[in-house]
Amino acid sequence: MEITYASPSSQNLSSSSQRSSSNVSMPAARPVKVIPLQHPETTSSSSAASSFGASVSKRIGNFKRMTWIQWIETLLPCSRWIRTYKWREYFQVDLMAGTTVGIMLVPQAMSYAKLAGLQPIYGLYSGFVPIFVYAIFGSSRQLAIGPVALVSLLVSNVLGGIADSSDESYTELAILLALMVGIFESIMGLLRLGWLIRFISHAVISGFTTASAIVIALSQAKYFLGYDVARSSKIVPLIKSIILGADKFSWPPFLVGSIILAILLIMKQLGKSRKYLRFLRAAGPLTGVVLGTTIVNIYHPPSITLVGDIPQGLPNFSIPKSFECAMSLIPTAILITGVAILESVGIAKALAAKNGYELDSNQELFGLGVANILGSFFSAYPTTGSFSRSAVNHESGAKTGLSGVITGIIMACALLFMTPLFEHIPQCALAAIVVSAVMGLVDYDEAIFLWHVDKKDFLLWTITSITTLFLGIEIGVLVGVGASLAFVIHESANPHIAILGRLPGTTVYRNTQQYPEAYTYHGIVIVRIDAPIYFANISFLKDRLREYEVDVDRSTRRGPEVERIYFVILEMAPVTYIDSSAVQALKDLYQEYKSRGIQIAISNPNHEVLLTLSKSGVVDLIGKEWYFVRAHDAVQVCLQHVQSLKETANAPNPLPDDNLSFLQRLLKSRGEDLSIAELESGAQRPPDFKNTDPKLEPLLSRKS
């Protein structure tokens, strides 16, 4: 088919004058340029099904063209850095980085295991096998995986309601949870579904981690205060339990824990602020453990509880048990998978960008999944990427995944030779390590930033953090994600719509609110829709269009003065998609406008939108002559119609245009009507044809 577009710069004339299907009368024909458009039936890319098929075919073709080296790199990402490893340049820094992270991980792993309600040995197990597996299947070269505070809190919160932490079944459920998390991560990585988490806004994640950090810190208070505190993920029961047990307060653990916490925070701050002291950041946890153990061995305070006996040796291979409880663990496994995507993949991408290599987020997710699956067969509970250890690994100069292998070797040495030394570590020292780690998760700077930049995101942050604190982690996450999706749906169902006006001295049309100097024309409304048009927002769009028809600002209008709106121009350049519901609504809107003597014009629809309108019959219904390449072209045509309508209304007995030939109508429009430039400027004087260059776009009338 062919679509006719008005084009003032074209020297071609249409062979015949086409009449409008509306009540608006057509003035003289004007120069047009006929642009052929391929018929929809011959365009294979117009349908979603064919687009999906083309995408699948392209991916299959890419697989067929892959060499055996590329296949190995896809299946084993570690081969990418192994093939290009520079031993003289990389080995020393990898050795230093791996050793530094290993020294940091040993005490942290035991601390996070206690937070999860497990024996410290399971934290060491979780920092052993998963690290080696991730070094093989993970694509990030600096990400340090292992136990983390947030996942440990989730494990404790869920399993605490199913079994007692002292029971063997509690440990079995934690190991089973690692297997389930690994399966979910692997499936999402293989199916390339990591994009699903993009619907959760950063404000929700920040609010969730901030509230979780506060809950984690309060849950460790029992090791500082010297008495038991209720296990809960809600802030009210925790504070209530702390207050009610105040009469059991003990000074020794409080003093030792506070001193160790202060030292850890000072070392962390010095490590961040001064480059030559950055080793202090990694050495902090080890320093806290050594200091606490020394104090206990010297003074032997009876009120300070110790870690106790820790089994020596590497973990044995065993198949996870308690599969009958798997259904109850699915929500938590999905939640931990989401945390892994948001935290680990985000960190990995940032580190990859800093170190100049590409990272596939789906491959990264698959690597984390395999690490958790194989780790569950060696008594590990769910692991993911750690922000603090990854930052230390990067700052220590890690170049490849070999640093992770060295960290794993240090963990193996700790399991084989050092566990007897861990028996005298005070619990308050491990609690201080946890508190110092989670204090960095309290992101109040983000809240201040959101308050100044975007009040909606600040509201999301506030809702998520408050619900997480007072209603629990699961409800907090659900409310935060629900609110985030509700905001997305609201923005999609209520898209931005702008009234366009012409910038003086140009043929450019912009939002009149953003550019107050832009002016509009009597009888014409130019509307730009800044979103896809589909079933959820079409009612909103129709209501706004009706408002624009009635609410007219005449102070900035030019051109022939008329009493009402005769033309509505829809600028559809930003519209990327239009569905069947929107098409039907557009037909209804056209009939409604037609009954009131208003004509719709369409400006600059993209290829897919135009094909949809063509196949649905909207192009023929509105009229091909009412489709334009630019908003300016549509305005020029509509201005001529408005002038014709005004003259027809003023003339007592106008001669019908039907009795005039095409050439007569053209001569009449050139000789009797105001020029296009005069109509656009609103001037009421004859045009100066001497100064008019027919090759230039019509602008405002020139002053003599």
Side-chain angles (χ1 to χ4, degrees), residues 562-639:
V562 290
E563 295 299 323
R564 66 180 183 88
I565 298 298
Y566 286 97
F567 296 94
V568 175
I569 301 172
L570 301 181
E571 169 59 56
M572 300 184 73
V575 179
T576 57
Y577 168 75
I578 183 169
D579 72 351
S580 58
S581 299
V583 167
Q584 186 58 47
L586 198 58
K587 291 181 179 180
D588 296 340
L589 185 65
Y590 169 78
Q591 296 296 343
E592 179 183 334
Y593 277 160
K594 181 179 179 181
S595 66
R596 299 202 302 271
I598 299 174
Q599 174 66 46
I600 292 179
I602 306 294
S603 167
N604 196 22
N606 71 25
H607 183 66
E608 296 296 328
V609 170
L610 189 56
L611 291 177
T612 302
L613 296 177
S614 174
K615 289 189 291 184
S616 61
V618 176
V619 170
D620 294 327
L621 178 66
I622 295 177
K624 298 177 183 178
E625 67 274 14
W626 294 106
Y627 287 77
F628 302 89
V629 173
R630 303 179 305 168
H632 184 63
D633 299 333
V635 169
Q636 289 178 305
V637 172
C638 294
L639 276 174

Side-chain angles (χ1 to χ4, degrees), residues 379-392:
S379 303
Y381 76 96
T383 58
T384 188
S386 166
F387 178 80
S388 59
R389 293 195 299 273
S390 298
V392 169

Side-chain angles (χ1 to χ4, degrees), residues 90 141-142 348-359 394 399:
Y90 294 167
R141 303 173 189 179
Q142 286 80 29
K349 280 189 172 182
L351 293 175
K354 289 181 179 180
N355 288 274
Y357 62 90
E358 294 183 0
L359 183 137
H394 169 67
K399 296 296 183 182

Side-chain angles (χ1 to χ4, degrees), residues 387-542:
F387 178 80
S388 59
R389 293 195 299 273
S390 298
V392 169
N393 198 33
H394 169 67
E395 291 169 2
S396 300
K399 296 296 183 182
T400 66
L402 182 62
S403 62
V405 174
I406 294 170
T407 300
I409 293 173
I410 291 177
M411 294 298 295
C413 294
L415 286 167
L416 288 171
F417 310 113
M418 300 176 66
T419 52
L421 301 176
F422 301 152
E423 295 180 8
H424 301 287
I425 297 175
Q427 300 269 25
C428 58
L430 297 182
I433 293 173
V434 172
V435 173
S436 67
V438 300
M439 286 183 69
L441 298 178
V442 180
D443 200 1
Y444 58 86
D445 289 334
E446 178 72 11
I448 297 173
F449 172 78
L450 293 175
W451 171 259
H452 291 294
V453 174
D454 192 335
K455 296 296 191 294
K456 286 185 178 179
D457 279 345
F458 176 78
L459 180 61
L460 272 179
W461 189 95
T462 305
I463 290 173
T464 305
S465 58
I466 290 176
T467 52
T468 302
L469 283 173
F470 291 94
L471 301 179
I473 293 175
E474 290 85 356
I475 296 178
V477 170
L478 290 176
V479 171
V481 172
S484 181
L485 291 176
F487 275 34
V488 171
I489 294 171
H490 179 268
E491 292 297 326
S492 177
N494 300 272
H496 180 261
I497 305 176
I499 295 291
L500 302 186
R502 182 176 177 180
L503 296 180
T506 72
T507 59
V508 176
Y509 292 77
R510 291 292 183 265
N511 187 350
T512 54
Q513 291 185 351
Q514 186 176 359
Y515 298 90
E517 68 274 16
Y519 58 86
T520 56
Y521 294 101
H522 293 289
I524 302 171
V525 174
I526 312 168
V527 180
R528 188 186 69 209
I529 303 170
D530 295 329
I533 308 177
Y534 69 113
F535 65 92
N537 62 17
I538 188 61
S539 297
F540 173 80
L541 296 177
K542 289 174 67 176

Side-chain angles (χ1 to χ4, degrees), residues 58-80 83 136-137 190 192 363 366:
K58 181 180 180 180
R59 185 165 296 176
I60 293 174
N62 291 337
F63 283 144
K64 290 181 178 179
R65 289 190 295 270
M66 287 174 63
T67 64
W68 65 273
I69 295 178
Q70 291 174 323
W71 274 108
I72 292 175
E73 290 181 348
T74 301
L75 299 174
L76 300 173
C78 63
S79 62
R80 299 171 187 170
R83 289 192 303 108
I136 298 172
F137 294 97
L190 290 173
R192 309 186 72 81
Q363 175 68 50
F366 178 76

Side-chain angles (χ1 to χ4, degrees), residues 85-102:
Y85 196 82
K86 301 175 182 178
W87 286 94
R88 292 186 177 181
E89 293 182 32
Y90 294 167
F91 181 72
Q92 186 176 358
V93 290
D94 282 342
L95 179 63
M96 279 296 297
T99 304
T100 303
V101 174

